[in-house]
Amino acid sequence: MLKIGELAQRTGCQVETVRYYEREGLLPPPGRSQGNYRMYGESHVERLQFIRHCRALDMTLDEIRVLLASRDAPDQSCAEANALLDAHIGHVAARIEELRRLEAQLLDLRHRCGAAQAARDCGILRELAEPGPLPIREEGCRVGGTHKH
């Protein structure tokens, strides 16, 4: 049995993240020691590693819940997991396209000032001050993760 700090260290996770995943219902509640310490077993280690792998692939907590439900029902079809991954791949492809458009805009902006000069003469700063449409993001937000929400 492991205490929360040991679980965190073993999985490369922060203690607060372990608590967060517990609150979100991704990790089952651990048992308690006589001193009321949380005590985790190997199943918690494996589940936390699974969650961390999913997060490293930029999956949302809801997506992870779906995958965990499939994992927890090993005799059922994995069709939902396949569909989820297909949708996630679509989100990633859309993000890549958005990042390519952003890169093109930034390169165009960078070409507006070829050399260091007085800020009043900088084409980059002048262009950014011009009224007009915002860059590529429809929502006016910076390019973030693979999901809009």
Side-chain angles (χ1 to χ4, degrees):
M1 297 304 279
L2 304 166
K3 292 182 182 175
I4 194 167
E6 296 166 325
L7 173 67
Q9 184 178 21
R10 187 157 160 204
T11 58
C13 199
Q14 299 292 319
V15 168
E16 271 309 305
T17 304
V18 174
R19 289 187 184 123
Y20 174 71
Y21 290 151
E22 282 180 32
R23 283 192 305 274
E24 289 295 317
L26 296 174
L27 277 179
R32 296 281 182 159
S33 70
Q34 287 183 345
N36 205 30
Y37 290 105
R38 291 177 168 110
M39 299 304 291
Y40 300 89
E42 282 303 309
S43 64
H44 289 96
V45 173
E46 291 168 8
R47 194 169 184 96
L48 186 53
Q49 288 171 332
F50 183 91
I51 294 166
R52 289 188 36 83
H53 287 152
C54 291
R55 292 297 290 155
L57 294 170
D58 203 28
M59 292 183 184
T60 66
L61 297 184
D62 286 337
E63 288 171 326
I64 295 169
R65 279 186 189 90
V66 169
L67 294 174
L68 285 169
S70 291
R71 184 175 181 256
D72 291 343
D75 294 330
Q76 293 185 5
S77 171
C78 66
E80 195 171 13
N82 290 337
L84 184 144
L85 258 290
D86 289 342
H88 191 65
I89 290 165
H91 294 302
V92 170
R95 180 178 176 204
I96 289 168
E97 182 55 37
E98 190 173 75
L99 286 169
R100 285 187 177 130
R101 288 193 311 267
L102 176 60
E103 178 186 35
Q105 287 182 329
L106 289 169
L107 288 168
D108 179 62
L109 186 60
R110 178 61 184 96
H111 286 100
R112 295 179 185 273
C113 188
Q117 55 191 321
R120 73 179 154 275
D121 299 323
C122 178
I124 294 170
L125 299 176
R126 259 198 321 270
E127 182 69 21
L128 289 172
E130 287 295 317
L134 292 174
I136 64 166
R137 291 287 292 178
E138 304 85 40
E139 301 139 16
C141 300
R142 77 174 185 85
V143 175
T146 57
H147 301 277
K148 301 278 187 208
H149 306 289

